[in-house]
Amino acid sequence: MGNRGMEELIPLVNRLQDALSSVGQSCSLHLPQIAVVGGQSAGKSSVLENFVGRDFLPRGSGIVTRRPLILQLLSATMEYGEFLHCKGKKFTDFDEIRKEIETETCRLTGSNKGISPVPINLRIHSPHVLNLTLVDLPGITKVPVGDQPADIEYQIRDMIMQYICKENCLILAVTPANTDLANSDALKLAKDVDPQGQRTIGVITKLDLMDEGTDAREILENRLLPLRRGYIGVVNRSQKDIDGKKDIKAALLAEEKFFLSHPAYKHMAERMGTPYLQRALNQQLTNHIRDTLPAFRSHLQSQLLSLNKEAEQYRQYSPDDPARRTKTLLQLVQHLAVDFEKLIEGSGDKVDTVNLSGGARINRIFHEYFPYELVKIESDERKMRREINYAIRNIHGVRTGLFTPDMAFEAIVKKEISRLKGPCIKFIDMVSQELINTVYQCINKLSSFPKLRDETERIVTAEIREQESKCRDQVLLLIDIQLAYINTKHEDFIGFTNCLRSQGSLSLAVVQVIRKGWLTISNIGIMKGGAKEYWFILTAESLSWFRDDEEKEKKYMLPLDNLKLRDVEKGFMSSKFVFAVFNTESRNVYKDYKCLELACNSQEELDSWKSSLLRAGVYPEKVTGNGSPENFTDPQLERQVETIRNLVDSYMSIIYKTVRDLMPKTIMHLIINSVKEFISSELLAQLYALGECSALMDESPEQQRHREEVLRKHAALKEALAVIGEISTSTCTTPLPPPVDSSWIQPSSPTLPKNSLTGARPMIRGHAPPVPRVPTPTRPTAFQSADGLQQLTGQPSRGPFVPR
């Protein structure tokens, strides 16, 4: 009666299944089990009922099994059934078990023939069963019926694959004998997930329903589409027997008599029938459990180790303890302050290697975006000269001026200083937004407590907006201070100097590298090699490029003197973003090229290179010209315009330098440092001032479920490991059969007529036709399709059944 070692082994594995069923699929653990796969009406349910010796499964037309049924058979002195969803209730009437399966199926899937992957767990204790764990899966279907979705076939296949693709699952492939074995969906699915045939067991049903004069001897002798574990034939009750309430015990006796009396099967009768199938599955499941337990135990232990810390924290947390709530609130606010400071100031632990953090992004705004915004507001040359022209003429009025008026210089300078307000306000907004984004990033860790998260977000955001308003007022005050007095005695104010770049580079006493990176020189002709990518190095004095980033082979070094940059329109078919550098004195910048067009991969990279060039003193091109739209008729006025233009350039360079220096300092002091101080010292007090500390620490439903799931999962894993500790694997075992060698298969005679039902060619009983063996160049796999047989033997497939 089966393997005696299973008396304890499979019940303990069933305890494992019960222990882990409470945590669902979250454990990602696959217990050893047998999945029953086959088409509709293949006889899967009858096989299972024969195992139990009772009628307990729903029957009918179409898809009857619409949810997986995990059936645990346990040998016991009493006979009853238990459902996992009805704990404590024992079903002694098997008709009630059938009704409960139907009710539980309809509860999730409704009555419209829909399906669900959520399993039903049924445990049957009986003195008539061997210990087994099987999964009854929905039958494979082709055409939707009634209200079934159009993709019902794919849904069922996906559900089946979720079970049989697991390495710990044995596959019981059920195929009726009155269909073509080469078209068996069960064997095809098994082949997809188990190409070596190590986990597949073939079952042939309905042997008694074959046409008279035909049999399945070749299949059961494993000579047609051979399987490594072979095939076992069974005879189930017919629909007439079921309708007539024929007893299963009588059916099993009839099955035994069938195999003993059938001339094609009597020589193998001891290896056929439901009792033998039950023992074979019992033994093979034993072997499978023995083989998979070590890896299964390691998997359990690794998952338990990963949960230990989180489970310990949740175990100490008591949601209803006021003292514990207060302590948790204090810890969360402290962690928030630390996380915010790390993101702003930078830290060496848990550095983000994918995206820039808050502090790095603010630094980029300080030293790349803001300087670039300042340069963008500079007027073009033609417009500036026209404004100076009008200012001088309006100041002189009807008189002709002999000297350059100071008022014109002051009017133009004040207008240029006033234009700084826009970029400065935009600068403050950008930093504030980055600061708010950083706060959101930190506050997301409070998502377990929604009220605390919302109140913290509201309080901190209000503080940032308040400090932003103060900073905006302060910056506008600084600009008004610059407008209040034009200091022409400033030590850096040099009359008649029109070289902003040279003034910017005076502070660079030591040559320093400003930027490195890859750029493509896109305007080199095809005859000279075409566009190429080089490694560029920008310093305060030159722009050099090398063949690669090892910087061993320098291609060229271009001095920055008299260089300007201009935008280049993106080509129609190009994905690159291009800018150009050129010499203001119309000299060649590289070989015989007047300009150098450099291409980047993104607009962000393009803006970054422009900002770096600005730091080196290479400014965007301005519209040049000595005149304005209005031709100067007075040479003296033209000289006065040129003088004031040079003076404005000199003075505004001082203003730009001052603003670039003061703006980051002002924002850092009034916004960033103030917000850091507020979070670390004032936030907790304001949260307490709300007077709802207890309500703030109410858990979200999601967090409550997560905490309970972690604790339940941790307990289930500990229980499962304890169960495994009780398992003794000193059971007898049978070796896995060797790979199937099909080279001995004989081809059938091509001259004999085919059977009209099965397509098989008849054969003289016990004698193969005298056709010489065809040698095979390669060993076939564990599964062999009908096409494969034709390739192997050189003859068409005979179909699965041979008349005797």
Side-chain angles (χ1 to χ4, degrees):
M1 184 69 178
N3 183 351
R4 300 302 302 174
M6 296 296 287
E7 295 300 325
E8 293 298 331
L9 186 54
I10 290 184
L12 286 173
V13 173
N14 288 336
R15 282 176 55 194
L16 271 179
Q17 194 144 24
D18 288 346
L20 296 175
S21 63
S22 61
V23 296
Q25 297 297 321
S26 60
C27 278
S28 300
L29 299 173
H30 311 314
L31 288 165
Q33 56 194 8
I34 301 173
V36 185
V37 182
Q40 286 188 39
S41 303
K44 302 189 308 299
S45 297
S46 295
V47 170
L48 296 178
E49 288 184 334
N50 285 353
F51 284 172
V52 178
R54 291 279 192 169
D55 294 324
F56 68 97
L57 292 174
R59 292 183 179 275
S61 60
I63 300 180
V64 178
T65 304
R66 295 186 286 131
R67 287 177 59 182
L69 175 67
I70 298 178
L71 180 62
Q72 298 174 355
L73 304 182
L74 295 173
S75 181
T77 56
M78 295 180 60
E79 189 176 40
Y80 62 92
E82 291 179 308
F83 286 95
L84 191 63
H85 63 271
C86 300
K87 287 186 177 180
K89 182 177 180 181
K90 294 183 179 181
F91 293 80
T92 55
D93 185 345
F94 281 78
D95 287 335
E96 289 187 13
I97 292 179
R98 179 190 301 111
K99 292 177 182 178
E100 182 62 30
I101 294 174
E102 293 174 345
T103 301
E104 183 64 13
T105 299
C106 293
R107 186 179 65 83
L108 279 188
T109 62
S111 57
N112 62 348
K113 299 294 183 180
I115 63 171
S116 169
V118 180
I120 299 173
N121 288 70
L122 171 61
R123 174 179 295 174
I124 292 182
H125 302 256
S126 173
H128 310 298
V129 301
L130 287 180
N131 294 326
L132 280 177
T133 299
L134 305 108
V135 182
D136 186 21
L137 294 167
I140 303 167
T141 185
K142 299 288 186 182
V143 180
V145 177
D147 296 331
Q148 290 176 350
D151 62 342
I152 186 70
E153 176 186 359
Y154 302 103
Q155 289 186 27
I156 292 175
R157 287 177 180 268
D158 288 344
M159 184 190 304
I160 293 173
M161 294 296 283
Q162 288 176 11
Y163 283 88
I164 66 175
C165 67
K166 302 170 184 175
E167 289 298 325
N168 283 6
C169 181
L170 292 175
I171 305 168
L172 196 65
V174 179
T175 305
N178 55 0
T179 61
D180 192 341
L181 190 67
N183 295 326
S184 170
D185 288 321
L187 288 177
K188 183 178 184 303
L189 288 176
K191 178 183 176 183
D192 291 340
V193 298
D194 182 31
Q196 300 303 318
Q198 296 182 357
R199 300 187 285 118
T200 304
I201 305 163
V203 175
I204 304 299
T205 62
K206 303 187 179 181
L207 291 168
D208 55 329
L209 300 182
M210 296 180 65
D211 283 354
E212 185 177 355
T214 63
D215 60 58
R217 177 175 176 176
E218 267 197 309
I219 299 173
L220 297 177
E221 288 181 346
N222 210 24
R223 292 191 289 135
L224 182 70
L225 303 184
L227 292 178
R228 189 168 186 173
R229 294 183 182 269
Y231 294 87
I232 299 173
V234 297
V235 176
N236 301 322
R237 292 176 300 167
S238 66
Q239 189 61 46
K240 181 180 178 181
D241 294 336
I242 295 171
D243 294 339
K245 303 295 183 180
K246 182 177 181 178
D247 184 67
I248 290 181
K249 292 180 181 179
L252 292 176
L253 291 174
E255 179 188 49
E256 182 180 6
K257 181 179 178 181
F258 173 83
F259 284 111
L260 288 173
S261 61
H262 198 290
Y265 308 134
K266 62 182 180 180
H267 68 288
M268 59 177 112
E270 75 280 358
R271 292 181 284 109
M272 296 291 118
T274 300
Y276 177 78
L277 174 61
Q278 201 170 358
R279 292 194 299 271
L281 294 180
N282 178 284
Q283 178 64 65
Q284 294 186 26
L285 187 57
T286 303
N287 296 343
H288 201 58
I289 290 173
R290 284 163 46 93
D291 295 339
T292 56
L293 267 182
F296 187 62
R297 180 189 290 110
S298 299
H299 196 173
L300 282 172
Q301 289 172 337
S302 64
Q303 293 225 353
L304 183 65
L305 186 63
S306 67
L307 282 179
N308 275 338
K309 184 177 180 181
E310 189 177 7
E312 184 62 26
Q313 291 176 347
Y314 288 145
R315 195 175 293 112
Q316 293 177 358
Y317 178 72
S318 177
D320 300 324
D321 184 359
R324 181 64 64 181
R325 285 185 172 222
T326 302
K327 181 179 179 180
T328 303
L329 173 61
L330 179 61
Q331 290 174 340
L332 289 175
V333 173
Q334 289 174 341
H335 290 160
L336 173 64
V338 171
D339 290 344
F340 181 77
E341 184 166 0
K342 284 182 177 180
L343 287 176
I344 295 298
E345 300 294 341
S347 64
D349 59 330
K350 298 182 180 179
V351 176
D352 190 345
T353 58
V354 179
N355 299 303
L356 290 179
S357 61
R361 295 179 68 88
I362 291 174
N363 179 278
R364 191 172 184 178
I365 295 172
F366 281 172
H367 302 295
E368 291 186 15
Y369 292 156
F370 182 58
Y372 185 61
E373 289 294 325
L374 290 182
V375 173
K376 279 168 55 177
I377 69 169
E378 294 185 25
S379 303
D380 62 75
E381 186 76 10
R382 189 179 297 275
K383 181 180 178 182
M384 173 70 75
R385 297 177 69 84
R386 183 171 65 249
E387 289 177 352
I388 296 173
N389 178 19
Y390 287 154
I392 293 174
R393 292 164 68 181
N394 286 333
I395 288 171
H396 287 312
V398 297
R399 297 179 296 279
T400 302
L402 299 176
F403 303 100
T404 302
D406 293 345
M407 293 176 63
F409 163 75
E410 189 168 326
I412 296 299
V413 166
K414 287 184 176 182
K415 183 175 181 179
E416 291 297 305
I417 293 175
S418 296
R419 296 179 63 197
L420 291 174
K421 293 181 179 180
C424 289
I425 298 302
K426 181 179 179 181
F427 181 32
I428 295 172
D429 292 341
M430 291 174 69
V431 174
S432 297
Q433 189 57 50
E434 285 297 339
L435 212 57
I436 290 174
N437 292 340
T438 304
V439 170
Y440 287 162
Q441 185 177 346
C442 297
I443 288 178
N444 280 338
K445 296 183 179 180
L446 306 179
S447 57
S448 301
F449 305 98
K451 293 181 180 178
L452 176 63
R453 180 195 58 204
D454 295 344
E455 288 299 328
T456 302
E457 178 183 325
R458 180 186 62 79
I459 293 172
V460 177
T461 303
E463 176 66 17
I464 292 174
R465 294 304 183 192
E466 182 179 349
Q467 297 303 323
E468 177 189 351
S469 178
K470 292 181 181 178
C471 184
R472 186 182 293 109
D473 293 341
Q474 183 65 31
V475 168
L476 293 178
L477 177 61
L478 290 175
I479 294 176
D480 289 340
I481 290 173
Q482 294 291 345
L483 289 170
Y485 181 66
I486 308 301
N487 182 18
T488 55
K489 295 297 184 180
H490 194 282
E491 58 184 6
D492 291 336
F493 181 64
I494 304 173
F496 304 101
T497 298
N498 187 27
C499 187
L500 288 175
R501 193 200 67 76
S502 62
Q503 288 192 3
S505 62
L506 287 175
S507 61
L508 301 171
V510 179
V511 176
Q512 58 178 339
V513 175
I514 296 176
R515 186 186 179 91
K516 295 182 179 183
W518 291 98
L519 287 172
T520 301
I521 302 178
S522 61
N523 64 324
I524 298 180
I526 298 178
M527 299 298 294
K528 297 184 179 181
K532 287 186 178 180
E533 193 175 34
Y534 294 100
W535 180 256
F536 277 75
I537 297 180
L538 174 64
T539 69
E541 295 185 354
S542 66
L543 180 65
S544 307
W545 57 93
F546 297 78
R547 181 174 294 277
D548 52 43
D549 55 4
E550 293 183 0
E551 303 176 11
K552 292 181 179 179
E553 184 179 347
K554 181 181 286 188
K555 301 295 293 183
Y556 198 76
M557 184 179 75
L558 176 63
L560 299 185
D561 294 332
N562 301 316
L563 281 190
K564 295 277 188 181
L565 63 88
R566 68 161 67 104
D567 292 327
V568 177
E569 289 188 7
K570 186 177 178 181
F572 176 70
M573 298 295 292
S574 174
S575 61
K576 297 279 189 178
F577 296 80
V578 187
F579 66 94
V581 293
F582 65 96
N583 192 292
T584 57
E585 297 179 354
S586 298
R587 296 177 181 175
N588 293 340
V589 294
Y590 174 60
K591 295 184 178 180
D592 55 347
Y593 292 95
K594 292 291 184 183
C595 72
L596 201 63
E597 293 186 1
L598 305 175
C600 309
N601 293 323
S602 66
Q603 183 64 45
E604 184 178 9
E605 189 179 355
L606 176 68
D607 293 340
S608 182
W609 269 103
K610 286 183 177 180
S611 299
S612 300
L613 287 166
L614 290 178
R615 291 175 56 195
V618 180
Y619 288 84
E621 173 188 20
K622 298 178 181 179
V623 180
T624 58
N626 294 327
S628 65
E630 296 184 21
N631 294 326
F632 285 138
T633 57
D634 185 355
Q636 182 179 356
L637 178 60
E638 185 177 350
R639 287 195 299 272
Q640 291 176 350
V641 169
E642 186 67 25
T643 299
I644 292 179
R645 178 69 186 91
N646 291 333
L647 291 173
V648 168
D649 274 351
S650 177
Y651 192 82
M652 288 307 298
S653 70
I654 299 171
I655 299 298
Y656 290 144
K657 186 185 298 185
T658 302
V659 171
R660 280 198 302 266
D661 181 60
L662 280 179
M663 281 298 296
K665 295 177 180 178
T666 304
I667 291 178
M668 195 71 194
H669 175 67
L670 293 178
I671 301 182
I672 298 176
N673 288 344
S674 296
V675 172
K676 282 197 306 182
E677 179 67 21
F678 175 82
I679 292 176
S680 62
S681 61
E682 297 292 332
L683 175 59
L684 186 61
Q686 293 216 17
L687 289 172
Y688 273 120
L690 296 174
E692 301 176 352
C693 289
S694 179
L696 289 176
M697 298 308 295
D698 288 342
E699 282 184 309
S700 66
E702 295 80 7
Q703 173 62 16
Q704 186 175 359
R705 284 194 297 268
H706 176 71
R707 176 168 55 83
E708 292 172 354
E709 180 184 353
V710 168
L711 292 175
R712 186 171 61 249
K713 184 176 177 181
H714 187 266
L717 291 172
K718 289 185 68 175
E719 181 184 351
L721 282 171
V723 169
I724 289 180
E726 301 175 17
I727 292 178
S728 170
T729 56
S730 59
T731 56
C732 61
T733 182
T734 56
L736 181 69
V740 177
D741 183 0
S742 306
S743 61
W744 52 268
I745 296 179
Q746 299 289 332
S748 60
S749 171
T751 59
L752 297 177
K754 288 187 178 181
N755 178 277
S756 59
L757 172 65
T758 65
R761 300 186 186 279
M763 218 168 99
I764 300 175
R765 179 171 320 194
H767 299 280
V771 180
R773 187 195 321 174
V774 179
T776 56
T778 57
R779 172 173 291 184
T781 62
F783 295 89
Q784 191 74 44
S785 67
D787 293 339
L789 276 177
Q790 182 175 348
Q791 295 171 4
L792 179 67
T793 62
Q795 300 293 336
S797 171
R798 295 175 299 145
F801 316 115
V802 182
R804 299 294 178 191

